[in-house]
Amino acid sequence: MNDKDIMDIENRFMANVFSKKPVVLTRGKGALVWDINGKEYVDCTSSYGVALLGHCHPKVVKAVCAQAEQLISCHSGFYNDKRAEFIQKLVQITPKGLDKAFLSNSGAESVECAIKLARKFKGKPEIIALMGAFHGKTMGALSATWDKKYREPFMPLVPEFKHVAPDNADKIREAITEKTAAVLMEPIRGEGGVRVPPDGYLQAVREICDEKNVLLIFDEVQTSFGRTGKLFGCQNWGVTPDVMCLAKPFAGGLPIGITVAKENIMSAFKVGEHSTTFSGSPLVCAAGCAALDALVEEKLVERAAEMGKYFKVQLEALQAKHKIVKEVRGLGLMLGVELRYDVLNVILKAVQRGVLVLDAGRTVVRFLPPLVIEKEQINRAVAVLDEVLGEEENERASSSTVPN
Ligand SMILES: *Cc1c(COP(=O)(O)O)cnc(C)c1O
C-alpha cells in the first residue's frame, strides 16, 4: 500500500473526528519520525505529549517484548509482579502523601476517577473547573472541559460543574458553596493555549481549598513526567494537590491513566465502586517500569529544564523578528507561540517542511517535543518556523495591499 491508499482507507472507514495532516508515519526513533516514503520529521508533538522518552525507547521496547512472552493481560482481581513493581516505582516519585493509585487507560479516565472519588469522599456533587480548561472528552471529563465546541453538541452533560475565570484565586473563593466537593485544574493549561499561571496563584488556590475544606485536584496529564522541567508541574510552585490525574507518557507510549490520591481519600472507594477491565495490565506496567527507570537514569527532567530554556530563547528571537508573533510562553519543554492570526496554515507548512507541531486553540503553535530532543533538532524546528512565519507575513502584507 502506498500513502494514498492508506489515507483513503482511514478516511473511508474511520470516524471523521480527527483533524488529519496528510502524512503516513511508519517509524520513529528519539525525537525523529519517518513517513512511508522515508521522509524525516522532527517531532515536536511527541504524539500529543505521549512519547516523552522519544519514540521506541530501547528500554521500553525490550521490556514490552520480554513481558509479551510472559503474560500480557491479568485482571486486577489477581495480583501481578509487574503491576506491583510499577506501583512501587510510581509512589516513590509522586508528591508526598499521594501514594494510593487507581490505574486506567487514558487521561479522560484518570479524570473520571478523580471526579467520582471527590463526590464519594465529600458526599457533595459540585466540581469547580476553569474557563479554558481541557480535561478530556468522556461525559464526566467533558463536563469539566471548557470549550463550547466540544461540549454543546452533547448537552446535557453531568450536572453541578461550573467554570470560573483562571489566574484569579478570588474567583474560586467566590464560586465555592456548601455543595462543592472539589476544584479541578491543570497547573499549566495546555489545550487552552499553554497558559502558565501567575506566581502565587496555585498557592492561593491551595489555601482556599484548605480553608473551605474542598479537595484540590490537579490534572497533570500533560504537565507531568518532567515536561515542565520538574517531575510534576505543580512542583514548580511547591503546591501539592489532594488528587492528581496522570496519563499520556507514563507507560512509554502504551495507553495508561493513573489517578493518585491521599490514602484516606482513595479509601472512600469501596470494592466494586470503580474499576476497568484493563486496569494495570502486565504489559502496560512493564512498559511503565521501563519508562520510569529511563526518566530517572537519563536525568530527563533536568534535561527538559535545560533544553526548554534553549528552545524558548530561540522562539523569543523569532518574536523579535516577526511581527506576526504576539507572545512566547511556557515552561520546560511545554512551549507555545501565540500568533496574531489563525495558526493552521503555519502548522501545515511546517509539517510539509519536516517539523511536526501542534496547535493549542486557534492562534497558538504548541511545542511538546520528546525530552530527549537534541539542540540540532531544536535548531531545525526553529529554522523551519522562522521560514514559514516569514512567508506568512509576506503573504499577508501583499494581500492587504491589494485594493478591493
Ligand atoms: C490529553 C489530556 C486529557 C485527556 O487525555 P486522553 O488520554 O486524550 O483522554 C486530559 N487532560 C489533559 C490536561 C490533557 O492534556
Side-chain angles (χ1 to χ4, degrees), residues 82-134:
K82 281 297 159 190
R83 190 187 302 130
E85 193 185 329
F86 177 65
I87 281 295
Q88 195 163 41
K89 282 185 198 294
L90 178 75
V91 298
Q92 271 167 12
I93 61 158
T94 48
K96 202 164 173 296
L98 299 183
D99 50 14
K100 202 86 167 160
F102 175 78
L103 299 177
S104 56
N105 315 287
S106 69
E109 277 180 82
S110 73
V111 172
E112 294 292 337
C113 173
I115 293 167
K116 283 177 71 176
L117 183 59
R119 283 186 165 184
K120 180 80 202 299
F121 178 69
K122 284 292 180 191
K124 297 173 178 186
E126 189 177 74
I127 308 286
I128 296 171
L130 297 181
M131 293 172 181
F134 184 84

Side-chain angles (χ1 to χ4, degrees), residues 7-34:
M7 289 189 247
D8 279 348
I9 291 172
E10 284 202 23
N11 290 338
R12 267 180 72 195
F13 299 117
M14 290 188 69
N16 181 26
V17 293
F18 294 95
S19 154
K20 290 194 177 258
K21 320 293 173 288
V23 176
V24 178
L25 298 175
T26 53
R27 197 159 62 84
K29 190 84 207 142
L32 297 175
V33 287
W34 289 270

Side-chain angles (χ1 to χ4, degrees), residues 85-376:
E85 193 185 329
F86 177 65
I87 281 295
Q88 195 163 41
K89 282 185 198 294
L90 178 75
V91 298
Q92 271 167 12
I93 61 158
T94 48
K96 202 164 173 296
L98 299 183
D99 50 14
K100 202 86 167 160
F102 175 78
L103 299 177
S104 56
N105 315 287
S106 69
E109 277 180 82
S110 73
V111 172
E112 294 292 337
C113 173
I115 293 167
K116 283 177 71 176
L117 183 59
R119 283 186 165 184
K120 180 80 202 299
F121 178 69
K122 284 292 180 191
K124 297 173 178 186
E126 189 177 74
I127 308 286
I128 296 171
L130 297 181
M131 293 172 181
F134 184 84
H135 297 292
K137 295 179 183 172
T138 53
M139 290 305 260
L142 183 61
S143 306
T145 290
W146 166 248
D147 199 328
K148 283 189 172 53
K149 77 169 184 262
Y150 298 141
R151 288 193 298 142
E152 276 185 346
F154 308 102
M155 300 283 197
L157 298 175
V158 179
E160 307 287 358
F161 279 72
K162 64 182 173 198
H163 291 87
V164 303
D167 299 346
N168 179 349
D170 288 336
K171 298 288 178 193
I172 287 179
R173 182 190 296 281
E174 288 160 19
I176 292 174
T177 68
E178 283 299 303
K179 290 194 299 182
T180 308
V183 172
L184 165 62
M185 63 169 67
E186 302 153 85
I188 300 173
R189 275 166 290 135
E191 304 291 318
V194 190
R195 309 274 174 181
V196 182
D199 282 338
Y201 175 62
L202 296 184
Q203 289 94 325
V205 173
R206 175 72 271 183
E207 280 164 25
I208 291 167
C209 289
D210 287 341
E211 182 194 318
K212 301 272 190 184
N213 200 17
V214 157
L215 292 184
L216 178 59
I217 305 168
F218 280 161
D219 177 348
E220 292 250 17
V221 168
Q222 195 165 133
T223 48
S224 54
F225 209 80
R227 170 60 76 201
T228 69
K230 298 278 184 194
L231 200 39
F232 299 97
C234 60
Q235 292 170 331
N236 286 291
W237 295 276
V239 176
T240 306
D242 302 300
V243 181
M244 193 162 65
C245 305
L246 306 171
K248 291 181 167 114
F250 270 83
L254 269 62
I256 190 167
I258 310 167
T259 312
V260 285
K262 293 177 180 163
E263 153 130 54
N264 65 316
I265 298 171
M266 195 61 95
S267 304
F269 277 152
K270 300 298 171 234
V271 171
E273 285 183 343
H274 195 63
S275 71
T276 173
T277 302
F278 286 123
S279 175
S281 92
L283 190 69
V284 168
C285 288
C289 287
L292 289 177
D293 286 347
L295 183 72
V296 174
E297 282 163 17
E298 295 173 26
K299 296 190 167 48
L300 294 179
V301 181
E302 295 82 348
R303 188 188 168 89
E306 185 192 323
M307 288 296 168
K309 275 190 197 129
Y310 179 79
F311 206 155
K312 199 173 180 192
V313 167
Q314 314 284 312
L315 294 175
E316 282 164 350
L318 295 187
Q319 182 182 5
K321 190 168 163 189
H322 298 285
K323 286 198 180 61
I324 187 176
V325 178
K326 193 170 163 196
E327 194 178 28
V328 174
R329 297 190 286 265
L331 209 51
L333 283 170
M334 181 173 183
L335 296 164
V337 175
E338 177 155 19
L339 304 186
R340 295 183 194 284
Y341 313 100
D342 202 292
V343 292
L344 194 60
N345 230 359
V346 170
I347 289 172
L348 287 173
K349 278 187 173 173
V351 170
Q352 275 165 9
R353 285 163 217 208
V355 177
L356 308 184
V357 291
L358 293 168
D359 60 353
R362 212 173 51 78
T363 57
V364 179
V365 185
R366 180 170 34 156
F367 299 84
L368 295 178
L371 309 187
V372 297
I373 193 168
E374 290 165 16
K375 280 190 177 167
E376 177 271 324

Side-chain angles (χ1 to χ4, degrees), residues 25-34 41-61 227 252-254 298 300 356 368-373 377:
L25 298 175
T26 53
R27 197 159 62 84
K29 190 84 207 142
L32 297 175
V33 287
W34 289 270
Y41 300 80
V42 177
D43 181 9
C44 291
T45 75
S46 316
S47 289
Y48 246 97
V50 169
L52 267 66
L53 300 174
H55 293 278
C56 301
H57 190 285
K59 249 197 149 72
V60 175
V61 172
R227 170 60 76 201
L254 269 62
E298 295 173 26
L300 294 179
L356 308 184
L368 295 178
L371 309 187
V372 297
I373 193 168
Q377 294 162 341

